[in-house]
Amino acid sequence: MTWWNALPIFVVALVIMFGPGAALGYFMGARRLAVLCLSPLLTTAVFGVAGIAAGLVGLSWSIFPVLVTTAVSSAVAWSLRRFVLKSGPVSPCPTSIQAWVGALGGVAVGAVLIGRRLTQVIGSPENFAQRFDNVFHLNAIQYILQTGNASSLTLGSMAGAEGGSAIYPAAWHSAAALIAQLGASDVVVAENVLNIVVAAVIWPLGMVFLVHQVIGPKPIALAVSGVFSAGFAAFPLAIMDFGPLYPNLLAYALLPASLALVIALCGLGHGGNIDKPALWLSLTVAIPGLALSQTNGLLSLIAFALPLGVWTASREVARVHRTGGSRRRYTLVAGVTVLGLLGFALIWKILRPLADYDSWAPFTTQTAAIGEVLLTAPMGRPVPWAVSILVLIGLQQVLSNPRRLWIFLCWLVPVVLYITTASAPKGPWRMLLTGGWYQDSYRLAALLPIFAVVLASIGALLIWDFLCKSASRLLNRSPWRNHVRGGLAVAVLAFVAAMIFVSQAGTLTGITAEAKRAYVLDATAPIVDSNELALIERLPSEVPEDAVIAVNPWNGGSLAYALSGRKVTTYHMFSTDNPELRQIDREIGSAQQGSDVCRIAARRHIDFILDFGSSYLANSAAAADYPGIVDVSSPNAKVIDSEGNARLLAVSACL
């Protein structure tokens, strides 16, 4: 399949990701640019809630529960606006044609830049990332398609988890499954299409909306914000390579739009196309949307909201003092602030994982980490010099204006978190601050571009204004000043083109090549090589639908489920231990007729072994815990099919 062949699936993905949210946003009261930019955020919440609701009532996952949830939530939103909030007709501020052109132009350029780079990285729509986490993600999509259950309350049960441990945010997987259903594609193509739509469309769109909120409807700022969204290695490329962290990709792409809502509710920034009732309704929906895509996204929103809330409270105290407010007013502001801080502390504690989850160690010095964030080059990436200079110019502009210091505080949030996880020694302080992100520097580095884009846009706008004023002074003294009417449009295009060049030149080459290696499918691929894939593709004609295949997840065997639809014994490297399955893992390859392992195999319909040998994804001791499934050599296991060193065997002793 080529990318051109996948275009209909892209259309399906765009309609799916924007349609439900656009309808809901309209009934909430969002209009024009706001309803467009908020649509993916609201859609994600619809997917998450619809998946849970459908799972509770036993309804299979499809477009139907999405439509029902959209209709019900839209009706509730309209009723709340009219009868509870008593808000009048929606009358948003008009958006100028220049602002529209700047916003849509920025999104389009960002989409082209990111989309082009991602198609180069992935190669073909049918390639998949040969990385650890993708085993779970691909199998989870297939699990939703086969079971019809897209509930975040139970998705973890695929890997054997039960109760509270079975909870896993499923919005990203639900969206991918819906794309596979409606686009008639396999899980790999659906995954790739969704990721490109999220990274290349939703992310730059959210950044344009955030910059519109912070700076206002400045066409140049809106245009370059879309450009700069494609200029950082840390996001979206790095977390599509590391992990890959696809749910985080979705959550972080939705984060700028969520931040714009919080900023507007705090009375900061520009405001614009959405009134207070719509803001509150949208934020109420955004919270489950972020939580059900990845809880890191919700925690990140809360982290950014802390300085915004404190800033707003301080401003309110100053206003009350200035206007001679009563003691009662002071008490009210102080009480709300204290409650807010207590709520922040409680949520921070709840969303932080277990204290013994401490896998990621610091890897650099504090001085080096500070240098990385100042130059917007975390994780030792090449420095994007031109964009970094623009960020520093924007930073200087913000620090020189007391009314805009809140932008600096928001920029500081991921800076402090990243420096802590990158350089602080393991201990309670590091866990307290960064435990909610598993102390993972990749997840925290991915937050740095959000306000870096905002600051770079402020810096670029300053340079543009300077160039315009300088050109105006020159033209006023020039005899040709009446003959350059089209000069402004040319100058705008030239300036944006210059920003494209400086944001892309040389800074993303390394991460592109690194990520590209993850999608190479050949005889040396680390999870499923070309021979193993060829064998997997023949499984549907060789293995009955009700049969189960014994696999070792560390050598790629688990992906037989995602790629063929045939059930396997273990769906991920971190599947929950089960005594019977442990016995299968140890003994199935040498099983004797009438043995305990044969009785277990018969009860569980485990009739086949997929032997991919002892070439493992990671150097983990757990990979060796499957002696009955690796390098099987027994007269009681008959080879049914093979490709290179990959073999499919029937457990003849147990049949």
Side-chain angles (χ1 to χ4, degrees):
M1 174 183 280
T2 67
W3 292 110
W4 289 109
N5 298 138
L7 280 179
I9 306 173
F10 277 101
V11 173
V12 169
L14 287 168
V15 172
I16 286 173
M17 294 305 296
F18 281 82
L24 178 56
Y26 183 86
F27 285 104
M28 285 178 171
R31 296 292 185 271
R32 298 190 177 95
L33 187 63
V35 74
L36 174 65
C37 297
L38 290 173
S39 293
L41 175 61
L42 303 178
T43 294
T44 303
V46 168
F47 286 162
V49 172
I52 292 173
L56 290 174
V57 301
L59 191 64
S60 289
W61 181 246
S62 68
I63 193 62
F64 179 68
V66 172
L67 294 176
V68 171
T69 304
T70 303
V72 171
S73 57
S74 297
V76 170
W78 180 84
S79 300
L80 287 173
R81 274 190 68 91
R82 180 161 186 179
F83 301 115
V84 178
L85 302 175
K86 305 290 185 181
S87 56
V90 179
S91 54
C93 301
T95 303
S96 69
I97 186 65
Q98 293 88 347
W100 270 111
V101 170
L104 296 181
V107 173
V109 172
V112 170
L113 293 174
I114 297 174
R116 173 178 167 272
R117 198 168 292 278
L118 289 183
T119 54
Q120 290 175 342
V121 165
I122 297 170
S124 165
E126 296 166 307
N127 292 348
F128 56 91
Q130 302 266 341
R131 291 286 190 261
F132 187 92
D133 287 13
N134 206 24
V135 176
F136 178 86
H137 296 321
L138 285 171
N139 279 341
I141 300 170
Q142 184 69 261
Y143 176 82
I144 292 172
L145 290 172
Q146 287 201 1
T147 65
N149 189 350
S151 175
S152 297
L153 302 180
T154 57
L155 185 61
S157 64
M158 179 193 74
E162 297 179 353
S165 60
I167 297 174
Y168 189 95
W172 179 88
H173 305 87
S174 303
L178 202 56
I179 291 170
Q181 284 182 340
L182 300 181
S185 70
D186 61 37
V187 296
V188 173
V189 176
E191 175 186 83
N192 288 330
V193 167
L194 174 60
N195 286 336
I196 291 175
V197 167
V198 170
V201 181
I202 296 175
W203 162 245
L205 186 66
M207 283 310 314
V208 166
F209 188 51
L210 178 60
V211 169
H212 182 280
Q213 178 61 45
V214 174
I215 301 177
K218 308 282 188 181
I220 285 292
L222 298 178
V224 298
S225 66
V227 173
F228 294 148
S229 70
F232 296 95
F235 189 85
L237 267 176
I239 66 169
M240 289 187 66
D241 175 45
F242 175 78
L245 307 177
Y246 294 147
N248 267 95
L249 175 72
L250 175 60
Y252 286 7
L254 299 173
L255 193 53
S258 306
L259 275 169
L261 295 174
V262 176
I263 290 168
L265 283 168
C266 289
L268 303 169
H270 173 70
N273 301 121
I274 186 165
D275 59 14
K276 273 289 175 64
L279 285 171
W280 281 113
L281 290 171
S282 298
L283 184 61
T284 301
V285 175
I287 289 172
L290 288 173
L292 295 173
S293 53
Q294 225 303 333
T295 51
N296 291 163
L298 178 58
L299 191 63
S300 300
L301 178 65
I302 292 168
F304 280 114
L306 176 62
L308 290 170
V310 172
W311 181 270
T312 302
S314 301
R315 190 182 60 172
E316 183 63 20
V317 168
R319 189 188 68 81
V320 172
H321 178 74
R322 188 173 58 253
T323 57
S326 64
R327 179 178 296 180
R328 181 180 178 184
R329 184 66 178 172
Y330 275 114
T331 303
L332 178 62
V333 174
V336 170
T337 303
V338 170
L339 286 175
L341 291 173
L342 289 174
F344 170 85
L346 179 62
I347 296 172
W348 193 270
K349 179 177 174 59
I350 291 173
L351 293 182
R352 197 177 70 201
L354 296 176
D356 58 357
Y357 195 101
D358 195 13
S359 301
W360 303 108
F363 60 90
T364 190
T365 65
Q366 187 178 76
T367 302
I370 292 172
E372 287 182 348
V373 296
L374 287 176
L375 296 175
T376 324
M379 307 300 298
R381 303 293 181 189
V383 178
W385 286 107
V387 180
S388 295
I389 290 170
L390 290 173
V391 170
L392 294 175
I393 292 172
L395 203 56
Q396 186 276 331
Q397 284 293 105
V398 166
L399 290 172
S400 64
N401 185 347
R403 293 185 177 181
R404 304 177 85 180
L405 281 177
W406 61 270
I407 302 174
F408 166 73
L409 296 176
C410 288
W411 171 81
L412 203 58
V413 168
V415 165
V416 171
L417 293 173
Y418 174 78
I419 291 172
T420 300
T421 197
S423 62
K426 286 188 175 184
W429 173 249
R430 188 170 183 262
M431 172 60 77
L432 174 66
L433 283 185
T434 65
W437 293 267
Y438 310 105
Q439 305 186 71
D440 179 3
S441 52
Y442 280 91
R443 296 176 200 261
L444 291 167
L447 295 173
L448 292 169
I450 295 177
F451 273 90
V453 170
V454 173
L455 291 170
S457 301
I458 293 173
L461 183 61
L462 179 70
I463 293 175
W464 170 255
D465 289 341
F466 172 77
L467 293 175
C468 285
K469 290 177 182 176
S470 300
S472 179
R473 285 196 298 269
L474 289 173
L475 289 174
N476 285 337
R477 296 194 296 267
S478 169
W480 298 286
R481 61 181 178 274
N482 296 325
H483 303 281
V484 289
R485 292 181 179 178
L488 181 60
V490 174
V492 168
L493 292 175
F495 186 78
V496 173
M499 294 299 105
I500 293 172
F501 176 77
V502 301
S503 70
Q504 300 292 304
T507 60
L508 299 173
T509 305
I511 182 62
T512 301
E514 186 180 318
K516 198 171 186 176
R517 287 195 292 270
Y519 287 85
V520 173
L521 179 59
D522 58 17
T524 63
I527 297 184
V528 174
D529 63 33
S530 51
N531 289 328
E532 293 164 348
L533 180 61
L535 181 56
I536 286 174
E537 289 174 342
R538 296 196 291 267
L539 291 180
S541 62
E542 298 170 334
V543 176
E545 288 187 18
D546 61 346
V548 178
I549 307 172
V551 298
N552 181 340
W554 293 94
N555 64 12
S558 290
L559 276 176
Y561 179 63
L563 302 177
S564 73
R566 292 301 181 257
K567 298 180 182 67
V568 297
T569 51
T570 310
Y571 292 89
H572 190 249
M573 295 78 157
F574 287 162
S575 290
T576 303
D577 282 341
N578 179 287
E580 288 192 346
L581 289 181
R582 290 298 94 192
Q583 191 168 353
I584 291 288
D585 298 336
R586 292 192 301 267
E587 303 174 16
I588 188 67
S590 57
Q592 300 292 323
Q593 191 171 19
S595 62
D596 287 343
V597 72
C598 274
R599 283 191 285 272
I600 295 171
R603 186 167 63 254
R604 290 176 172 267
H605 303 287
I606 302 172
D607 301 328
F608 297 88
I609 298 171
L610 196 59
D611 184 356
F612 283 172
S614 56
S615 178
Y616 303 126
L617 172 64
N619 185 22
S620 170
D625 289 342
Y626 300 81
I629 299 170
V630 175
D631 297 331
V632 175
S633 177
S634 169
N636 295 328
K638 178 182 177 184
V639 177
I640 301 298
D641 192 3
S642 66
E643 187 80 27
N645 293 323
R647 299 182 300 159
L648 174 69
L649 303 96
V651 189
S652 53
C654 300
L655 296 178

